[in-house]
Amino acid sequence: MPPKRRAKSQIPPNAASATAYTDPSGTAPNKRSKLSKPLPNLVSKDTNGGSGHTAVVTNGRGGIGSSEETQFDHSRPEERAGIVDRRYYPAEMSNERCAMYNANGVPRPMEILNATLKSTRVVREGIRNGEGGEAVVHWFKRDLRVGDNTGLSKAAGLAKEKGVGVIGLWIMSPQDWEAHLVSPAKCDFELRSVAVLQKELAKLGIPLWIETVKVRKNVPERLMELARQWGAKNVFCNLEYEPDELRREEKLIRLGVEKGVNVEPCHDDCVVPPGSLKTGAGKQYAVYSPWYRAWVAHLHAHPHLLADRPSPSTNPSNFRAKFVNLFESAIPQAPESKHLSGDAQKSHLAALYPAGEAAALDRLTLFLTEKIGRYSVTRNFPSAKSTACVSMHHAAGTLAARTSVRMARDVNSTKKLDGGVEGIRGWIGEVAWRDFYRHVLVNWPYVCMNKPFKFEYTNIEWEYSDDHFRAWTEGRTGYPIVDAAMRCLNQTAYMHNRLRMITASFLAKHLLLDWRLGEQYFISHLVDGDFASNNGGWGFSSSTGVDPQPYFRVFNPWLQSTKFDAEGEFIRNWVPELEVIEGAGIHNPYEAGGKAAEVAKKNGYPKPIVEHKFARERCLARYKAGIGRSTA
């Protein structure tokens, strides 16, 4: 493991307002709270812009303005609100430690993994080049497909070279699903995809052994036990880029060396592996546009990155008889905390989102042949249903992002990723955002630790109103476009990207609720929940993340509604209280007055929970006070 490096700089000058959220010892490692659980929600209350709803008023960070203003206080409102799941994680890290990551003062999980791969390379190569063992294992994670799968392809290639077969492994880790707030809808989608994968592998004589490991930290040890039982000397897997998973794989590599097993993690989830793209100063990009130009240029210079990975061939004819019990592995039930509400919901989601690789390719092919030509002009309109809607397949790995980009390129009028048909070019750019946010996650891992990318924004004083948060989650804010979007999410486990921006901005800037509450609600309800993309989107909308909109740019929900749902079709579909309202009045019925207001009132639709002008002014004042300056 590389030694920890001292930071060359600490809190940047433009983040002086964050001193109340800093370890006073400067370079000290992150302090841990003495509390095992968050404190009760001790708050004071005030009215919110005359709306009549209760809002929580926080008391600052660490006693700002008092003798304790430089203390690192883990009894802050964020802690009391339970944003950090203390069953699995320590208290939120300090700004000082974030600065140390920025200044290369703390080794990143990916750097530690790469160092371990380097230091164990000779030993692992010796194992790989030695006796082949009885089988080669591929550990499936977020790559639930047979085709275009880097790790599986390499495992199959080595197995063929050694004259043995491949064993597939999938581990259900309920604690990982809990810690990562995976939604019941996504758990169900993954379990259905595993069932499809098992059948597809069986056609090749490849078993998929499925096992539940109740304690998440025991996964590496159990995997090594299984490798020993099966006589496997080589284990392949595809990397996941969150800190927990990188640390787990690093532990697995070291454990494998101890047990005489070569573990080979592969880059597969990104089209371009993290760390491949650097600015002229040799740093990771923090702005999408120049990053995207570098991404495109890199793929043009390295076309093999888009090449289809060879699918595995059929296992040796005697392999099934030798490992017959592995073909009888049952698909487990979702953990109790991840159960859907009943058979009706299961059937509904199964119809909306068919699982498996074939379904993913069918959906992508339909989009590329029928919709992509007009994608650039229709993609922002939720009622148009003009997007590919393959994000749940990217999230579960039933479809590789690489496959999507390659197939889109192949139907274009040019092989240049940034040329040709505007709709195709634009969609490839949208898929690239997924890579971008993963690259950010790897270089700034604290974004996965409840910290904003712009950690100096930690000092913004958020509201913690249960009433307002509940109204937002239930679609009862009095802003029809927001309410329609939230009701859609609750019913379908999915939300159009334009609506994600509108609803996220509304929570963070109109209600001034801590953006992390919304981030967690999304990830715990979306069928396509993906930490990096979800975090990046919330960082953009709340102006706390990488390449965000400036904090003084506050979406006007009324204008967003009239621009992207002009006829009110999407609102009518999800807010039945307003469906008989004709014309523009549906966007803001109480402001429109007349029949629109009468219908809304009669049907019990709420008045706006907060007035737009007040909300905007409050937002700007809080952001300015929190970051200590009037510029973004």
Side-chain angles (χ1 to χ4, degrees), residues 15 18 27 63 135 139 166 168 184 237 246 291 309 323 335 348 352 444 460 465 471 489 501 546 572 590 609:
T27 58
W139 176 23
V166 175
C237 66
L246 291 173
W291 174 90
R309 279 42 172 170
F323 293 97
H348 178 59
L352 287 175
W444 291 283
I460 294 172
S465 166
L489 169 63
M501 290 190 285
V546 65
R572 289 187 180 88
Y590 289 109
I609 197 171

PDB file of all heavy atoms in Angstrom, residues 15 18 27 63 135 139 166 168 184 237 246 291 309 323 335 348 352 444 460 465 471 489 501 546 572 590 609:
ATOM      1  N   ALA A  15     -12.693  29.044   0.278  1.00  0.00           N
ATOM      2  CA  ALA A  15     -13.581  28.214   1.094  1.00  0.00           C
ATOM      3  C   ALA A  15     -13.417  28.533   2.570  1.00  0.00           C
ATOM      4  O   ALA A  15     -13.620  27.700   3.433  1.00  0.00           O
ATOM      5  CB  ALA A  15     -13.303  26.736   0.846  1.00  0.00           C
ATOM      6  N   ALA A  18     -15.797  27.526   5.361  1.00  0.00           N
ATOM      7  CA  ALA A  18     -15.928  26.146   5.814  1.00  0.00           C
ATOM      8  C   ALA A  18     -15.113  25.845   7.052  1.00  0.00           C
ATOM      9  O   ALA A  18     -15.043  24.709   7.491  1.00  0.00           O
ATOM     10  CB  ALA A  18     -15.512  25.198   4.688  1.00  0.00           C
ATOM     11  N   THR A  27      -4.012  18.627   9.369  1.00  0.00           N
ATOM     12  CA  THR A  27      -3.840  17.439   8.550  1.00  0.00           C
ATOM     13  C   THR A  27      -4.291  16.174   9.263  1.00  0.00           C
ATOM     14  O   THR A  27      -4.019  15.071   8.805  1.00  0.00           O
ATOM     15  CB  THR A  27      -2.355  17.267   8.157  1.00  0.00           C
ATOM     16  OG1 THR A  27      -1.573  17.185   9.345  1.00  0.00           O
ATOM     17  CG2 THR A  27      -1.891  18.433   7.318  1.00  0.00           C
ATOM     18  N   GLY A  63     -21.286  25.997  16.128  1.00  0.00           N
ATOM     19  CA  GLY A  63     -21.401  27.219  16.915  1.00  0.00           C
ATOM     20  C   GLY A  63     -20.723  28.401  16.260  1.00  0.00           C
ATOM     21  O   GLY A  63     -19.881  29.063  16.857  1.00  0.00           O
ATOM     22  N   ALA A 135     -11.136 -25.336 -12.856  1.00  0.00           N
ATOM     23  CA  ALA A 135     -12.073 -24.403 -13.498  1.00  0.00           C
ATOM     24  C   ALA A 135     -11.533 -22.982 -13.356  1.00  0.00           C
ATOM     25  O   ALA A 135     -10.632 -22.716 -12.565  1.00  0.00           O
ATOM     26  CB  ALA A 135     -13.461 -24.514 -12.861  1.00  0.00           C
ATOM     27  N   TRP A 139     -16.778 -13.888 -11.478  1.00  0.00           N
ATOM     28  CA  TRP A 139     -17.698 -13.357 -10.479  1.00  0.00           C
ATOM     29  C   TRP A 139     -18.512 -12.242 -11.116  1.00  0.00           C
ATOM     30  O   TRP A 139     -18.003 -11.178 -11.422  1.00  0.00           O
ATOM     31  CB  TRP A 139     -16.886 -12.860  -9.288  1.00  0.00           C
ATOM     32  CG  TRP A 139     -17.679 -12.191  -8.205  1.00  0.00           C
ATOM     33  CD1 TRP A 139     -19.005 -12.342  -7.929  1.00  0.00           C
ATOM     34  CD2 TRP A 139     -17.172 -11.263  -7.244  1.00  0.00           C
ATOM     35  NE1 TRP A 139     -19.372 -11.564  -6.862  1.00  0.00           N
ATOM     36  CE2 TRP A 139     -18.265 -10.885  -6.417  1.00  0.00           C
ATOM     37  CE3 TRP A 139     -15.912 -10.708  -7.002  1.00  0.00           C
ATOM     38  CZ2 TRP A 139     -18.119  -9.978  -5.366  1.00  0.00           C
ATOM     39  CZ3 TRP A 139     -15.768  -9.814  -5.956  1.00  0.00           C
ATOM     40  CH2 TRP A 139     -16.853  -9.467  -5.147  1.00  0.00           C
ATOM     41  N   VAL A 166     -15.610 -22.871 -17.372  1.00  0.00           N
ATOM     42  CA  VAL A 166     -15.886 -21.648 -16.627  1.00  0.00           C
ATOM     43  C   VAL A 166     -17.026 -21.882 -15.658  1.00  0.00           C
ATOM     44  O   VAL A 166     -18.026 -22.530 -16.002  1.00  0.00           O
ATOM     45  CB  VAL A 166     -16.257 -20.490 -17.583  1.00  0.00           C
ATOM     46  CG1 VAL A 166     -16.668 -19.249 -16.806  1.00  0.00           C
ATOM     47  CG2 VAL A 166     -15.096 -20.175 -18.514  1.00  0.00           C
ATOM     48  N   GLY A 168     -19.619 -19.586 -13.386  1.00  0.00           N
ATOM     49  CA  GLY A 168     -20.112 -18.255 -13.057  1.00  0.00           C
ATOM     50  C   GLY A 168     -20.550 -18.210 -11.601  1.00  0.00           C
ATOM     51  O   GLY A 168     -21.059 -19.197 -11.057  1.00  0.00           O
ATOM     52  N   PRO A 184     -35.977  -1.385  -3.992  1.00  0.00           N
ATOM     53  CA  PRO A 184     -36.632  -2.684  -4.218  1.00  0.00           C
ATOM     54  C   PRO A 184     -36.847  -2.968  -5.700  1.00  0.00           C
ATOM     55  O   PRO A 184     -36.713  -4.113  -6.143  1.00  0.00           O
ATOM     56  CB  PRO A 184     -37.957  -2.536  -3.465  1.00  0.00           C
ATOM     57  CG  PRO A 184     -37.649  -1.567  -2.362  1.00  0.00           C
ATOM     58  CD  PRO A 184     -36.698  -0.582  -2.992  1.00  0.00           C
ATOM     59  N   CYS A 237     -13.206 -10.823 -12.493  1.00  0.00           N
ATOM     60  CA  CYS A 237     -14.384 -10.006 -12.210  1.00  0.00           C
ATOM     61  C   CYS A 237     -14.200  -8.658 -12.892  1.00  0.00           C
ATOM     62  O   CYS A 237     -13.091  -8.317 -13.321  1.00  0.00           O
ATOM     63  CB  CYS A 237     -14.592  -9.820 -10.706  1.00  0.00           C
ATOM     64  SG  CYS A 237     -13.297  -8.855  -9.878  1.00  0.00           S
ATOM     65  N   LEU A 246     -13.937  -0.987  -4.427  1.00  0.00           N
ATOM     66  CA  LEU A 246     -12.508  -1.000  -4.743  1.00  0.00           C
ATOM     67  C   LEU A 246     -11.694  -1.556  -3.586  1.00  0.00           C
ATOM     68  O   LEU A 246     -10.735  -2.314  -3.794  1.00  0.00           O
ATOM     69  CB  LEU A 246     -12.039   0.418  -5.092  1.00  0.00           C
ATOM     70  CG  LEU A 246     -12.565   1.003  -6.417  1.00  0.00           C
ATOM     71  CD1 LEU A 246     -12.158   2.462  -6.548  1.00  0.00           C
ATOM     72  CD2 LEU A 246     -12.049   0.197  -7.607  1.00  0.00           C
ATOM     73  N   TRP A 291     -13.562  17.457 -20.956  1.00  0.00           N
ATOM     74  CA  TRP A 291     -13.415  16.014 -20.717  1.00  0.00           C
ATOM     75  C   TRP A 291     -13.989  15.232 -21.888  1.00  0.00           C
ATOM     76  O   TRP A 291     -13.374  14.260 -22.349  1.00  0.00           O
ATOM     77  CB  TRP A 291     -14.130  15.613 -19.424  1.00  0.00           C
ATOM     78  CG  TRP A 291     -14.133  14.125 -19.191  1.00  0.00           C
ATOM     79  CD1 TRP A 291     -13.208  13.385 -18.520  1.00  0.00           C
ATOM     80  CD2 TRP A 291     -15.105  13.179 -19.673  1.00  0.00           C
ATOM     81  NE1 TRP A 291     -13.534  12.040 -18.549  1.00  0.00           N
ATOM     82  CE2 TRP A 291     -14.695  11.894 -19.253  1.00  0.00           C
ATOM     83  CE3 TRP A 291     -16.278  13.297 -20.409  1.00  0.00           C
ATOM     84  CZ2 TRP A 291     -15.428  10.745 -19.543  1.00  0.00           C
ATOM     85  CZ3 TRP A 291     -17.007  12.150 -20.716  1.00  0.00           C
ATOM     86  CH2 TRP A 291     -16.574  10.889 -20.278  1.00  0.00           C
ATOM     87  N   ARG A 309     -16.276  -7.613 -27.075  1.00  0.00           N
ATOM     88  CA  ARG A 309     -15.490  -8.675 -26.428  1.00  0.00           C
ATOM     89  C   ARG A 309     -16.038 -10.040 -26.844  1.00  0.00           C
ATOM     90  O   ARG A 309     -17.262 -10.239 -26.842  1.00  0.00           O
ATOM     91  CB  ARG A 309     -15.559  -8.559 -24.912  1.00  0.00           C
ATOM     92  CG  ARG A 309     -14.639  -7.550 -24.254  1.00  0.00           C
ATOM     93  CD  ARG A 309     -14.516  -6.234 -24.920  1.00  0.00           C
ATOM     94  NE  ARG A 309     -13.760  -5.259 -24.113  1.00  0.00           N
ATOM     95  CZ  ARG A 309     -13.357  -4.093 -24.567  1.00  0.00           C
ATOM     96  NH1 ARG A 309     -13.625  -3.734 -25.815  1.00  0.00           N
ATOM     97  NH2 ARG A 309     -12.692  -3.267 -23.790  1.00  0.00           N
ATOM     98  N   PHE A 323     -19.502 -30.910 -12.282  1.00  0.00           N
ATOM     99  CA  PHE A 323     -20.023 -29.849 -11.413  1.00  0.00           C
ATOM    100  C   PHE A 323     -21.548 -29.776 -11.493  1.00  0.00           C
ATOM    101  O   PHE A 323     -22.130 -28.693 -11.464  1.00  0.00           O
ATOM    102  CB  PHE A 323     -19.417 -28.497 -11.820  1.00  0.00           C
ATOM    103  CG  PHE A 323     -17.943 -28.389 -11.571  1.00  0.00           C
ATOM    104  CD1 PHE A 323     -17.021 -28.627 -12.581  1.00  0.00           C
ATOM    105  CD2 PHE A 323     -17.457 -28.057 -10.310  1.00  0.00           C
ATOM    106  CE1 PHE A 323     -15.652 -28.518 -12.354  1.00  0.00           C
ATOM    107  CE2 PHE A 323     -16.091 -27.940 -10.071  1.00  0.00           C
ATOM    108  CZ  PHE A 323     -15.184 -28.181 -11.090  1.00  0.00           C
ATOM    109  N   PRO A 335     -34.235  -9.657  -0.082  1.00  0.00           N
ATOM    110  CA  PRO A 335     -34.295  -9.478   1.365  1.00  0.00           C
ATOM    111  C   PRO A 335     -35.604  -8.790   1.753  1.00  0.00           C
ATOM    112  O   PRO A 335     -36.191  -8.040   0.964  1.00  0.00           O
ATOM    113  CB  PRO A 335     -33.089  -8.578   1.668  1.00  0.00           C
ATOM    114  CG  PRO A 335     -32.180  -8.755   0.499  1.00  0.00           C
ATOM    115  CD  PRO A 335     -33.058  -9.013  -0.677  1.00  0.00           C
ATOM    116  N   HIS A 348     -46.244  -5.392 -12.715  1.00  0.00           N
ATOM    117  CA  HIS A 348     -46.209  -4.075 -13.349  1.00  0.00           C
ATOM    118  C   HIS A 348     -44.791  -3.708 -13.775  1.00  0.00           C
ATOM    119  O   HIS A 348     -44.555  -3.303 -14.924  1.00  0.00           O
ATOM    120  CB  HIS A 348     -46.761  -3.040 -12.368  1.00  0.00           C
ATOM    121  CG  HIS A 348     -46.730  -1.635 -12.871  1.00  0.00           C
ATOM    122  ND1 HIS A 348     -47.368  -1.216 -14.028  1.00  0.00           N
ATOM    123  CD2 HIS A 348     -46.128  -0.519 -12.364  1.00  0.00           C
ATOM    124  CE1 HIS A 348     -47.166   0.072 -14.216  1.00  0.00           C
ATOM    125  NE2 HIS A 348     -46.406   0.525 -13.233  1.00  0.00           N
ATOM    126  N   LEU A 352     -42.976  -3.247 -17.497  1.00  0.00           N
ATOM    127  CA  LEU A 352     -42.320  -2.001 -17.878  1.00  0.00           C
ATOM    128  C   LEU A 352     -40.862  -2.217 -18.260  1.00  0.00           C
ATOM    129  O   LEU A 352     -40.361  -1.598 -19.210  1.00  0.00           O
ATOM    130  CB  LEU A 352     -42.400  -0.988 -16.731  1.00  0.00           C
ATOM    131  CG  LEU A 352     -43.741  -0.336 -16.441  1.00  0.00           C
ATOM    132  CD1 LEU A 352     -43.636   0.531 -15.183  1.00  0.00           C
ATOM    133  CD2 LEU A 352     -44.199   0.512 -17.621  1.00  0.00           C
ATOM    134  N   TRP A 444     -12.176  11.733  -6.956  1.00  0.00           N
ATOM    135  CA  TRP A 444     -12.638  12.440  -5.756  1.00  0.00           C
ATOM    136  C   TRP A 444     -13.573  11.522  -4.972  1.00  0.00           C
ATOM    137  O   TRP A 444     -14.797  11.750  -4.926  1.00  0.00           O
ATOM    138  CB  TRP A 444     -13.341  13.737  -6.146  1.00  0.00           C
ATOM    139  CG  TRP A 444     -12.413  14.769  -6.721  1.00  0.00           C
ATOM    140  CD1 TRP A 444     -11.543  15.557  -6.042  1.00  0.00           C
ATOM    141  CD2 TRP A 444     -12.264  15.140  -8.100  1.00  0.00           C
ATOM    142  NE1 TRP A 444     -10.843  16.378  -6.893  1.00  0.00           N
ATOM    143  CE2 TRP A 444     -11.277  16.153  -8.168  1.00  0.00           C
ATOM    144  CE3 TRP A 444     -12.881  14.722  -9.276  1.00  0.00           C
ATOM    145  CZ2 TRP A 444     -10.891  16.732  -9.380  1.00  0.00           C
ATOM    146  CZ3 TRP A 444     -12.492  15.297 -10.473  1.00  0.00           C
ATOM    147  CH2 TRP A 444     -11.508  16.289 -10.514  1.00  0.00           C
ATOM    148  N   ILE A 460     -23.424  25.577   3.821  1.00  0.00           N
ATOM    149  CA  ILE A 460     -24.740  26.121   3.511  1.00  0.00           C
ATOM    150  C   ILE A 460     -25.737  25.622   4.551  1.00  0.00           C
ATOM    151  O   ILE A 460     -25.767  24.440   4.893  1.00  0.00           O
ATOM    152  CB  ILE A 460     -25.186  25.713   2.097  1.00  0.00           C
ATOM    153  CG1 ILE A 460     -24.268  26.353   1.054  1.00  0.00           C
ATOM    154  CG2 ILE A 460     -26.645  26.095   1.848  1.00  0.00           C
ATOM    155  CD1 ILE A 460     -24.504  25.854  -0.352  1.00  0.00           C
ATOM    156  N   SER A 465     -37.153  20.134   7.058  1.00  0.00           N
ATOM    157  CA  SER A 465     -38.580  20.099   7.356  1.00  0.00           C
ATOM    158  C   SER A 465     -39.177  18.774   6.908  1.00  0.00           C
ATOM    159  O   SER A 465     -39.208  18.462   5.714  1.00  0.00           O
ATOM    160  CB  SER A 465     -39.291  21.257   6.639  1.00  0.00           C
ATOM    161  OG  SER A 465     -40.683  21.061   6.661  1.00  0.00           O
ATOM    162  N   ALA A 471     -44.057  16.248   1.475  1.00  0.00           N
ATOM    163  CA  ALA A 471     -44.848  16.785   0.366  1.00  0.00           C
ATOM    164  C   ALA A 471     -44.126  16.599  -0.962  1.00  0.00           C
ATOM    165  O   ALA A 471     -44.752  16.273  -1.985  1.00  0.00           O
ATOM    166  CB  ALA A 471     -45.139  18.267   0.613  1.00  0.00           C
ATOM    167  N   LEU A 489     -42.333   8.762 -10.502  1.00  0.00           N
ATOM    168  CA  LEU A 489     -41.254   7.998  -9.878  1.00  0.00           C
ATOM    169  C   LEU A 489     -41.808   6.959  -8.912  1.00  0.00           C
ATOM    170  O   LEU A 489     -41.399   5.795  -8.920  1.00  0.00           O
ATOM    171  CB  LEU A 489     -40.309   8.947  -9.131  1.00  0.00           C
ATOM    172  CG  LEU A 489     -39.270   8.307  -8.206  1.00  0.00           C
ATOM    173  CD1 LEU A 489     -38.311   7.433  -9.011  1.00  0.00           C
ATOM    174  CD2 LEU A 489     -38.499   9.376  -7.432  1.00  0.00           C
ATOM    175  N   MET A 501     -33.935  16.882 -13.136  1.00  0.00           N
ATOM    176  CA  MET A 501     -33.322  18.185 -12.891  1.00  0.00           C
ATOM    177  C   MET A 501     -34.308  19.152 -12.245  1.00  0.00           C
ATOM    178  O   MET A 501     -33.967  19.889 -11.311  1.00  0.00           O
ATOM    179  CB  MET A 501     -32.782  18.764 -14.206  1.00  0.00           C
ATOM    180  CG  MET A 501     -31.573  18.022 -14.752  1.00  0.00           C
ATOM    181  SD  MET A 501     -30.776  18.898 -16.128  1.00  0.00           S
ATOM    182  CE  MET A 501     -31.936  18.581 -17.446  1.00  0.00           C
ATOM    183  N   VAL A 546     -19.734  18.550  -9.295  1.00  0.00           N
ATOM    184  CA  VAL A 546     -18.781  18.797 -10.369  1.00  0.00           C
ATOM    185  C   VAL A 546     -19.523  19.404 -11.557  1.00  0.00           C
ATOM    186  O   VAL A 546     -20.638  18.995 -11.894  1.00  0.00           O
ATOM    187  CB  VAL A 546     -18.064  17.481 -10.751  1.00  0.00           C
ATOM    188  CG1 VAL A 546     -19.038  16.473 -11.327  1.00  0.00           C
ATOM    189  CG2 VAL A 546     -16.921  17.735 -11.710  1.00  0.00           C
ATOM    190  N   ARG A 572     -51.350  15.949 -16.839  1.00  0.00           N
ATOM    191  CA  ARG A 572     -52.680  15.334 -16.810  1.00  0.00           C
ATOM    192  C   ARG A 572     -52.605  13.834 -16.548  1.00  0.00           C
ATOM    193  O   ARG A 572     -53.487  13.251 -15.908  1.00  0.00           O
ATOM    194  CB  ARG A 572     -53.419  15.595 -18.130  1.00  0.00           C
ATOM    195  CG  ARG A 572     -53.853  17.045 -18.292  1.00  0.00           C
ATOM    196  CD  ARG A 572     -54.745  17.236 -19.530  1.00  0.00           C
ATOM    197  NE  ARG A 572     -55.124  18.639 -19.633  1.00  0.00           N
ATOM    198  CZ  ARG A 572     -54.415  19.562 -20.265  1.00  0.00           C
ATOM    199  NH1 ARG A 572     -53.275  19.197 -20.879  1.00  0.00           N
ATOM    200  NH2 ARG A 572     -54.813  20.819 -20.290  1.00  0.00           N
ATOM    201  N   TYR A 590     -53.690  27.917  -9.477  1.00  0.00           N
ATOM    202  CA  TYR A 590     -54.116  28.944  -8.529  1.00  0.00           C
ATOM    203  C   TYR A 590     -53.719  30.338  -8.997  1.00  0.00           C
ATOM    204  O   TYR A 590     -54.426  31.317  -8.752  1.00  0.00           O
ATOM    205  CB  TYR A 590     -53.554  28.649  -7.137  1.00  0.00           C
ATOM    206  CG  TYR A 590     -54.226  27.451  -6.496  1.00  0.00           C
ATOM    207  CD1 TYR A 590     -53.540  26.245  -6.345  1.00  0.00           C
ATOM    208  CD2 TYR A 590     -55.540  27.513  -6.059  1.00  0.00           C
ATOM    209  CE1 TYR A 590     -54.149  25.141  -5.774  1.00  0.00           C
ATOM    210  CE2 TYR A 590     -56.165  26.408  -5.488  1.00  0.00           C
ATOM    211  CZ  TYR A 590     -55.470  25.224  -5.353  1.00  0.00           C
ATOM    212  OH  TYR A 590     -56.087  24.133  -4.794  1.00  0.00           O
ATOM    213  N   ILE A 609     -46.476  25.134  -2.027  1.00  0.00           N
ATOM    214  CA  ILE A 609     -45.940  24.974  -0.684  1.00  0.00           C
ATOM    215  C   ILE A 609     -45.014  26.116  -0.289  1.00  0.00           C
ATOM    216  O   ILE A 609     -44.801  26.392   0.898  1.00  0.00           O
ATOM    217  CB  ILE A 609     -45.200  23.613  -0.603  1.00  0.00           C
ATOM    218  CG1 ILE A 609     -44.978  23.190   0.829  1.00  0.00           C
ATOM    219  CG2 ILE A 609     -43.903  23.646  -1.371  1.00  0.00           C
ATOM    220  CD1 ILE A 609     -44.453  21.772   0.950  1.00  0.00           C
TER     221      ILE A 609
END
